[in-house]
Every structure is written in C-alpha cells, then in structure tokens.
Amino acid sequence: VQLQASGGGSVQAGDSLRLSCAVSRLTTSDNFMNWFRQAPGKEREFVAGIRWREGTKSYADSVKGRFTISRNVAEYTIYLQMNSLKPEDTAVYYCASSSGKITAAEGVVSWGQGTLVTVSS
C-alpha cells in the first residue's frame, strides 16, 4: 500500500483542521487504516483507527470527543477531522495501515509520510 498524507498546518488553540490520506495499492494485509502522531522528543503514538471495509472506529483517550476518523472507500481516502485543537496536539501526523486493530506502532504494516500540525496557544 502507498499512503500520502496532507492537510497539516499552523492553527490557534480551539481551531479545527482536517487531515487527508490518499490510499493506493491496497493489499490483503491493509484491513485497518490508522493515524499516529509524534511530538518532538516523544514516541510515536496511536491517535485513531478505522476498519477499511466495515468502518468501525477506535480512538486514543486523549482525542476522544475531539477527533473523528472517517474514510471514503470510493475515493480511497481516509480523514482525520480535528476539532478543539490544543497545543499538546502539536506533532507530525502519520497515516498507517495494519492488518488488525492496533493501538501501537508495532502493528503497523506500512507508513505514509508525515504532515506537521502546529497548534499555538
């Protein structure tokens, strides 16, 4: 699979931003699509995941109620709608595929390149 993320930028606290990830060359190992993020000096962490066919979703506790993951199967795109952004959401955001439901980077099959989100107070 090939993953191409876009949509990052610099916003103020409380603003919203939507990230996109174009998906191509899906394989039978790419059952789930996920968003991860990595803040400066920190490990890469799971943000949200979605089962590609059924659309079932999961979220990290830190973003529940603020972020929404979705996908457009016809357009082979996944999205991360981020509302009520906080400075601690500042990170490089990555889309990633996995064969099963995951909450850690160890389960990732393929990574896309990152897109930087900066939230200022």
Side-chain angles (χ1 to χ4, degrees), residues 88-104:
E88 51 263 44
D89 295 318
T90 295
V92 177
Y93 283 72
Y94 299 87
C95 50
S97 68
S98 60
S99 57
K101 183 180 178 181
I102 60 172
T103 57

Side-chain angles (χ1 to χ4, degrees), residues 1 25-33 52-53 97-100 109:
V1 67
R25 300 185 182 179
L26 276 173
T27 72
T28 54
S29 297
D30 306 309
N31 297 314
F32 287 78
M33 296 297 163
W52 181 252
R53 291 179 180 81
S97 68
S98 60
S99 57
V109 173

Side-chain angles (χ1 to χ4, degrees), residues 21-81:
C21 179
V23 180
S24 60
R25 300 185 182 179
L26 276 173
T27 72
T28 54
S29 297
D30 306 309
N31 297 314
F32 287 78
M33 296 297 163
N34 309 277
W35 287 98
F36 282 76
R37 66 185 181 186
Q38 188 166 20
K42 295 188 177 181
E43 294 187 353
R44 198 168 296 190
E45 64 173 359
F46 171 80
V47 175
I50 188 167
R51 191 161 187 167
W52 181 252
R53 291 179 180 81
E54 290 80 5
T56 51
K57 306 172 185 181
S58 60
Y59 296 94
D61 288 342
S62 58
V63 305
K64 277 182 182 176
R66 300 189 299 124
F67 290 11
T68 303
I69 189 172
S70 62
R71 91 270 193 248
N72 185 319
V73 175
E75 295 186 358
Y76 287 88
T77 305
I78 61 170
Y79 302 98
L80 185 68
Q81 177 66 43

